[in-house]
């Protein structure tokens, strides 16, 4: 089940959002009205309404959330541009007026580490990522990355490899540093690409 942390300014919008997402088996594990409230560590994605961001440090709030989870930003017509949110660390940006089906598809897409842009946006703004096969990961780092590509949790990886969850966390931090990725979704995407590249080789 996909778990979402929702930072939404409007209680009315939030009620509709909960109904739409729950009808598709998506769970909202936390709702917030201010970016100063703690983002849920259980979340697979953070859905952030740009109306709920402070004008002065909204991009910083996006960057902070993106350090731990995939971020999808909900835009209004008077918002900052999609590119600014993507540069701050969001994986996806969509307009609030897009359909519920579009929102659900966008959430599922960003949790897979794939960028989502608003309707009518012409090009993708992808940051260059290093090729994981060219970074000389250690044997154990490659094993951990392979397990991540299969969707295993840190605890499950620890059990399979016979190491502690703390050691898995350490390997994941090293892998993230080498690959230059900032959150779980990006790491999963790179792991999947690495797995596909190896199987094609």
């Amino acid at each position: 089940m996909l778990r979402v942390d929702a930072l939404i300014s409007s209680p009315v919008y939030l009620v509709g959002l909960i109904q739409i997402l729950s009808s598709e088996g998506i769970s909202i594990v936390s709702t917030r009205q201010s970016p100063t409230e703690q983002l849920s560590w259980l979340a697979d994605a953070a859905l952030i309404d740009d109306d709920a961001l402070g004008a002065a440090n909204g991009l910083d709030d996006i960057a902070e959330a993106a350090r731990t989870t995939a971020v999808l930003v909900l835009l209004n017509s008077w918002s900052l541009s999609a590119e600014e949110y993507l540069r701050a660390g969001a994986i996806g940006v969509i307009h609030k007026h897009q359909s519920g089906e579009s929102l659900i598809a966008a959430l599922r897409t960003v949790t897979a580490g794939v960028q989502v842009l608003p309707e009518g946006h012409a090009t993708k703004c992808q940051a260059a990522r290093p090729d994981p096969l060219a970074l000389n990961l250690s044997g154990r780092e490659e094993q951990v990355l392979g397990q991540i590509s299969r969707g295993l949790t840190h605890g499950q990886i620890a059990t399979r490899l016979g190491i502690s969850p703390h050691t898995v966390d350490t390997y994941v931090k090293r892998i993230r540093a080498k690959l230059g990725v900032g959150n779980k979704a990006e790491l999963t995407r790179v792991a999947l690409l690495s797995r596909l590249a190896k199987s094609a080789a």
Side-chain angles (χ1 to χ4, degrees):
M1 174 183 282
L2 180 58
R3 297 165 299 184
V4 174
D5 176 283
L7 172 57
I8 306 293
S9 63
S10 165
V12 174
Y13 186 87
L14 180 60
V15 169
L17 179 67
I18 292 170
Q19 186 176 16
I20 289 168
L21 298 186
S22 62
S23 71
E24 292 295 321
I26 297 173
S27 171
I28 295 187
V29 293
S30 175
T31 60
R32 301 177 291 138
Q33 290 186 315
S34 166
T36 59
E37 296 174 64
Q38 185 69 37
L39 183 138
S40 173
W41 64 272
L42 292 171
D44 300 306
L47 182 60
I48 298 179
D49 175 0
D50 69 348
D51 284 340
L53 297 171
N57 57 356
L59 293 178
D60 292 339
D61 296 328
I62 296 289
E64 181 62 28
R67 291 178 58 189
T68 56
T69 193
V71 173
L72 177 64
V73 177
L74 292 170
L75 288 180
N76 279 308
S77 57
W78 55 86
S79 306
L80 295 173
S81 71
E83 286 81 3
E84 290 179 87
Y85 288 120
L86 294 169
R87 280 194 293 271
I91 297 180
V93 180
I94 67 169
H95 287 293
K96 273 187 177 177
H97 63 63
Q98 288 182 235
S99 68
E101 292 82 9
S102 296
L103 174 60
I104 290 160
L107 279 169
R108 290 189 170 138
T109 302
V110 298
T111 55
V114 179
Q115 194 175 79
V116 173
L117 296 171
E119 290 175 348
H121 203 286
T123 58
K124 294 202 174 189
C125 312
Q126 292 181 336
R129 291 289 182 207
D131 176 3
L133 300 177
L135 285 174
N136 300 321
L137 296 179
S138 72
R140 187 60 98 179
E141 287 167 351
E142 286 187 5
Q143 285 180 320
V144 170
L145 189 63
Q147 298 301 314
I148 290 169
S149 75
R150 289 169 176 81
L152 298 182
T153 66
H154 288 198
Q156 290 169 327
I157 293 169
T159 301
R160 283 200 176 190
L161 299 181
I163 56 180
S164 74
H166 175 73
T167 303
V168 173
D169 290 341
T170 301
Y171 282 124
V172 169
K173 286 176 188 172
R174 288 183 195 164
I175 295 165
R176 282 183 176 174
K178 286 183 179 181
L179 300 181
V181 297
N183 60 46
K184 290 185 293 186
E186 289 181 351
L187 183 60
T188 301
R189 178 175 175 269
V190 171
L192 287 168
L193 291 174
S194 174
R195 185 176 170 191
L196 289 171
K198 284 183 177 178
S199 63

